[in-house]
Amino acid sequence: MASNPGFEDLFDVPGGNAFTEVTDLFVAGARDMEPEEVVLMDGFTLVDAMSAFEIGEPRLDSGMILEEQRRAPFDPLTPLLPEEACWLLDRSFACEMEWHSGKTLSQSVFTILFVHHLPDINPEYLSPEENEDPARPRWLITVVMRAAMLALLKCCDLAWRELSKGRVQDVEDWQGEKCDVSLLEGVNSDLIIHLLDNASDWVQQSDLAEAQVDALCDRLYLRKTLLQLYKLDLLKSVDELWYHTTVGRELVERVRRPHDPLPPNSAVHLAIDPYIARRLPNFMPIRVTEVPPLTQIWDSLGVQLEVWAEVGHLVTSPSLLKWTAAGSLQYCLHKKPASAFHRALIQTIVFDKELVLGTHHPTWLMEQFFYETIGLPYSTIIDAFERSTPSRQVATMRDVIERRIIKVHRPDALLVPHVRSNWYNPPRRRRHAMKEVLQWHMLYDTMLKDIEMHKPPDAGIAATLRALPIAAQIWRLSQCREVILTGFQQELYAPEEKPIAYWYLARVLDFHIACIEDVLPSVPPDSPACSELNFQASHLAALQMISTTLVALTSGSITSTWERVSTNFLRRYKWVLNPEFDNLPAAHPTPDLLSFPPTLNEFLRDTLYSPSRSFELAENILRHLSEVPQEAVGHWDRDRRQYLRNLADACARLKRGTPESLIELPNFNLKTLQWIPDVHPWFPTVVSP
């Protein structure tokens, strides 16, 4: 084949064909090496070299530079126009947001070459420049750009410290590889804030045009505001938090104003090297990613500031209900998810260094749990036990229950991990809810056994004691509902699994409503818990109507054999079929698949049942609830009412495209039901076939 003169024309060799034979060079170099001696480049060990032969090392290809990737050398002291400096400052915000979105530092922040040349632009080490161009003053680099780059790295350092606490998962939620580049870990943030102020003073005292001064100062103030937010002790400085977030939002609106693009031949483009990972110790495959448009970056930064403000509302809202509502509603409303940094920060604020919200001892959670669930102060519950049993048994009961609910360092602790789980990523959050189902039922069993040993002296105390295990049941059923519904949101169910999922969901909702009706007589009517339980009874009733109706509408999608359906069911609901449940009281509703076919057949024989009217009734309930102020959730009233309106809209869409009665069900086209999470996370919508 080598003799074929046209064969080489079939191959396009990167870099062309003008190669130099280097075999003799390597042979000559090897003569001067001792046996078993190895020459390695920095950051690439013998283990890495051996692994490269076995699995393919992406860094082995990093040295090949294509012709279109060749760049002129970067000189950090190349003069910049004010517009170019503004462009680079905007790029710094873009790279920071890209890191928070999940990219590596080598793909984002470290692509700005100034962060690698900070000593080279330190004005203390530079001699004065002669014949300086007044349109391109050197201080734009040595004062303005240096201060901004220092602040960028310090923001990343403060975020990295929070992210590395283990609240979120490295690689899964964020990328923590620093590539041996300093994030100014030893530099005081107050010093950098002083440098930013100094840079702003230089700009304001300069001869630049007013528009240029405003543009540069706005970006410096925005960077200063972000750095102040990162370094803030939120538990002690909520007022400062409100101030900085307000200022930050105003600055974002100012810097997002459109401006003329820079020419392609501008020298500032050389300050960005998307292939910088080639020169850094890096354990990730080298990938070049495009930076989104600036409008999207400013939107992302605005969301970051909104989340910071929401953190302030959480700090000033010491309530399990409000925290849970804040965490769960962000998933239901398709909000742009909080960054991993903010999710880690919120989890730290919830509990850190033996204190809840930096102020309360864990026993406070115990008090909130009973008061917010069944409206009874913990002191009332203890008094009921003291009037029913000797103090020794009371102490034992308190120890067992408190250990399960609030002892945060135990693997079976409930409340702190539950609150934190609302800021896990969605799959991890769902897995945690699965584990909680068993833990809440174990607590129910403990409470039930202790209460059976008591002999209350009157009916009032008996009602108080009877309400305790129901509280645990309510929380268990809430987690069951969460697991089933998030399965739809994460598109886990096959078509034939959906009818069974809605059927089991309807059973869970039925039992949840029954628990609420059972406990309500024991709840003080003027307590916030009574109001919330009444709301939940109506809310769950609407969900139950929707789920029950969808069982009938989707039943035709079950086409597999019963053996296959049973196998899928056991795998899908293993979280509630755990053998540990066998030693506990029955966790109603038990997942009995054998009861599904007769229940479905009986339901389908009810020819008077109207799917469209059921959706209409559920819609009316939800519309009414959405018009009532949701005071129990405080700041998140608007979000909860929007959630209810979204549910009502889903009912309205289903009502328009579903049969008037089950007699028409054989003619219903199942393909018109489409599950589109962006339209609604849990329920289908009717589309034209």
Side-chain angles (χ1 to χ4, degrees):
M1 294 179 67
S3 61
N4 187 340
F7 180 74
E8 294 181 352
D9 296 336
L10 299 176
F11 297 92
D12 182 14
V13 180
N17 295 321
F19 291 105
T20 302
E21 176 62 49
V22 295
T23 303
D24 294 340
L25 179 64
F26 280 104
V27 171
R31 293 195 188 102
D32 298 328
M33 296 175 63
E34 297 294 329
E36 300 184 1
E37 184 180 353
V38 180
V39 177
L40 297 171
M41 66 181 184
D42 292 342
F44 196 82
T45 66
L46 178 60
V47 174
D48 295 325
M50 296 174 66
S51 299
F53 289 107
E54 295 179 7
I55 61 174
E57 169 57 56
R59 288 176 291 167
L60 288 178
D61 295 330
S62 64
M64 186 179 70
I65 302 178
L66 302 179
E67 191 63 36
E68 61 271 17
Q69 297 172 1
R70 296 187 182 277
R71 305 163 53 85
F74 171 66
D75 180 4
L77 292 176
T78 300
L80 297 176
L81 290 168
E83 293 78 11
E84 294 173 325
C86 286
W87 180 89
L88 199 53
L89 293 176
D90 289 346
R91 181 79 177 208
S92 71
F93 291 111
C95 289
E96 182 184 12
M97 291 300 102
E98 286 298 279
W99 179 53
H100 282 299
S101 72
K103 294 187 173 68
T104 63
L105 285 167
S106 60
Q107 293 172 325
S108 54
V109 174
F110 293 164
T111 63
I112 304 176
L113 296 183
F114 276 107
V115 305
H116 307 285
H117 292 270
L118 290 174
D120 301 329
I121 59 175
N122 189 334
E124 297 181 3
Y125 304 148
L126 298 173
S127 57
E129 185 179 23
E130 299 180 359
N131 302 322
E132 181 180 77
D133 184 353
R136 294 178 169 86
R138 176 185 279 186
W139 56 261
L140 274 179
I141 297 173
T142 59
V143 177
V144 174
M145 199 57 59
R146 179 171 176 267
M149 294 300 109
L150 289 169
L152 168 64
L153 290 177
K154 195 61 187 177
C155 286
C156 293
D157 171 46
L158 295 175
W160 194 94
R161 296 186 193 191
E162 183 61 51
L163 288 161
S164 63
K165 291 180 179 178
R167 314 291 189 208
V168 290
Q169 309 300 312
D170 192 4
V171 178
E172 185 177 317
D173 293 301
W174 70 293
Q175 303 289 341
E177 177 56 49
K178 295 183 182 181
C179 304
D180 289 349
V181 176
S182 170
L183 294 181
L184 307 182
E185 293 86 349
V187 179
N188 189 292
S189 54
D190 289 332
L191 172 61
I192 297 177
I193 290 174
H194 172 72
L195 293 176
L196 288 170
D197 289 335
N198 189 38
S200 299
D201 291 341
W202 272 77
V203 174
Q204 291 172 339
Q205 296 169 14
S206 69
D207 296 329
L208 300 178
E210 182 179 356
Q212 295 172 332
V213 170
D214 290 343
L216 285 168
C217 284
D218 286 344
R219 286 156 175 80
L220 290 172
Y221 291 151
L222 181 56
R223 174 54 65 192
K224 175 184 174 182
T225 299
L226 289 178
L227 181 53
Q228 289 172 320
L229 283 170
Y230 277 113
K231 71 182 286 288
L232 201 60
D233 184 347
L234 299 179
L235 294 171
K236 299 178 181 178
S237 310
V238 177
D239 290 339
E240 289 185 53
L241 172 66
W242 302 132
Y243 173 76
H244 291 317
T245 53
T246 301
V247 170
R249 285 192 286 259
E250 292 175 356
L251 289 170
V252 167
E253 292 305 314
R254 289 172 62 90
V255 299
R256 72 160 64 238
R257 294 169 184 169
H259 50 79
D260 296 332
L262 295 178
N265 61 349
S266 172
V268 74
H269 294 296
L270 295 177
I272 306 297
D273 184 4
Y275 299 96
I276 188 64
R278 286 174 171 154
R279 293 183 279 159
L280 300 174
N282 185 25
F283 294 92
M284 299 290 289
I286 296 175
R287 295 190 179 94
V288 176
T289 60
E290 294 293 330
V291 175
L294 264 182
T295 53
Q296 184 176 333
I297 294 300
W298 300 134
D299 289 342
S300 299
L301 187 51
V303 170
Q304 291 275 70
L305 292 168
E306 291 294 337
V307 176
W308 248 306
E310 185 153 310
V311 173
H313 289 294
L314 286 168
V315 170
T316 55
S317 303
S319 163
L320 293 175
L321 173 61
K322 292 176 183 177
W323 293 340
T324 301
S328 60
L329 286 171
Q330 65 179 326
Y331 294 101
C332 300
L333 295 179
H334 300 295
K335 285 187 174 183
K336 189 172 182 179
S339 67
F341 164 75
H342 281 112
R343 290 190 284 113
L345 179 64
I346 292 171
Q347 292 178 54
T348 298
I349 287 172
V350 169
F351 182 85
D352 191 33
K353 297 179 181 178
E354 307 298 330
L355 292 175
V356 180
L357 285 181
T359 305
H360 307 284
H361 290 283
T363 50
W364 175 83
L365 286 171
M366 195 80 166
E367 298 168 0
Q368 292 297 117
F369 169 72
F370 286 111
Y371 182 69
E372 294 187 36
T373 306
I374 55 178
L376 298 175
Y378 191 41
S379 58
T380 300
I381 295 169
I382 296 302
D383 180 65
F385 278 104
E386 288 178 344
R387 295 173 60 185
S388 304
T389 61
S391 59
R392 182 181 61 82
Q393 294 182 6
V394 173
T396 302
M397 182 267 178
R398 289 175 61 181
D399 181 65
V400 172
I401 293 180
E402 289 184 8
R403 190 166 62 246
R404 284 198 177 277
I405 294 180
I406 63 175
K407 295 296 183 183
V408 295
H409 299 300
R410 287 176 55 89
D412 58 350
L414 281 165
L415 283 186
V416 169
H418 170 81
V419 176
R420 281 178 170 171
S421 71
N422 288 294
W423 285 275
Y424 293 168
N425 62 54
R428 189 170 291 273
R429 177 173 175 258
R430 185 173 187 269
R431 291 194 295 271
H432 179 83
M434 292 178 179
K435 296 177 182 177
E436 269 197 30
V437 171
L438 174 61
Q439 292 173 342
W440 283 113
H441 197 59
M442 293 170 69
L443 176 65
Y444 166 78
D445 176 54
T446 300
M447 289 180 168
L448 202 60
K449 289 178 179 177
D450 276 297
I451 289 170
E452 288 175 352
M453 296 171 58
H454 293 67
K455 295 182 179 180
D458 55 53
I461 292 180
T464 297
L465 298 181
R466 190 169 57 250
L468 302 186
I470 298 178
Q473 286 278 61
I474 289 173
W475 282 67
R476 175 182 68 85
L477 293 165
S478 295
Q479 291 302 86
C480 286
R481 181 179 80 247
E482 189 72 22
V483 173
I484 300 169
L485 288 175
T486 52
F488 286 99
Q489 190 164 1
Q490 296 173 31
E491 301 181 82
L492 300 180
Y493 300 120
E496 62 183 18
E497 291 182 291
K498 291 174 181 176
I500 299 174
Y502 284 126
W503 164 75
Y504 188 55
L505 174 62
R507 295 187 64 198
V508 168
L509 295 169
D510 272 337
F511 199 81
H512 196 161
I513 295 170
C515 286
I516 291 175
E517 293 173 348
D518 194 18
V519 80
L520 266 176
S522 306
V523 179
D526 58 345
S527 66
C530 184
S531 173
E532 178 64 15
L533 287 171
N534 280 306
F535 163 80
Q536 289 296 344
S538 299
H539 165 234
L540 298 176
L543 286 177
Q544 198 273 345
M545 292 178 196
I546 301 170
S547 304
T548 300
T549 306
L550 286 173
V551 174
L553 294 179
T554 60
S555 59
S557 62
I558 303 178
T559 57
S560 299
T561 63
W562 181 252
E563 181 181 4
R564 182 62 180 173
V565 170
S566 302
T567 301
N568 289 345
F569 183 84
L570 294 174
R571 185 182 300 112
R572 181 66 66 192
Y573 296 94
K574 60 185 178 182
W575 51 275
V576 76
L577 295 169
N578 191 319
E580 293 188 52
F581 280 101
D582 297 340
N583 300 322
L584 302 171
H588 296 295
T590 55
D592 180 15
L593 183 61
L594 294 177
S595 64
F596 173 69
T599 302
L600 177 62
N601 292 333
E602 183 179 357
F603 181 34
L604 295 178
R605 284 197 295 268
D606 184 2
T607 56
L608 298 179
Y609 188 87
S610 172
S612 61
R613 285 199 293 272
S614 296
F615 288 131
E616 182 178 10
L617 178 57
E619 179 190 2
N620 293 337
I621 294 173
L622 294 165
R623 298 277 185 210
H624 172 71
L625 291 176
S626 68
E627 295 169 359
V628 179
Q630 301 294 314
E631 298 176 356
V633 293
H635 169 74
W636 295 272
D637 164 87
R638 182 177 61 181
D639 286 349
R640 181 183 266 190
R641 293 167 76 173
Q642 183 60 52
Y643 156 77
L644 293 168
R645 285 192 291 269
N646 290 352
L647 269 178
D649 292 341
C651 293
R653 290 189 294 268
L654 288 166
K655 175 184 66 176
R656 290 192 295 268
T658 50
E660 285 290 332
S661 71
L662 291 182
I663 297 177
E664 304 172 16
L665 187 60
N667 299 323
F668 177 67
N669 186 354
L670 188 57
K671 293 181 180 180
T672 61
L673 291 182
Q674 296 291 325
W675 281 260
I676 308 172
D678 289 339
V679 177
H680 196 274
W682 307 330
F683 301 124
T685 188
V686 178
V687 298
S688 300

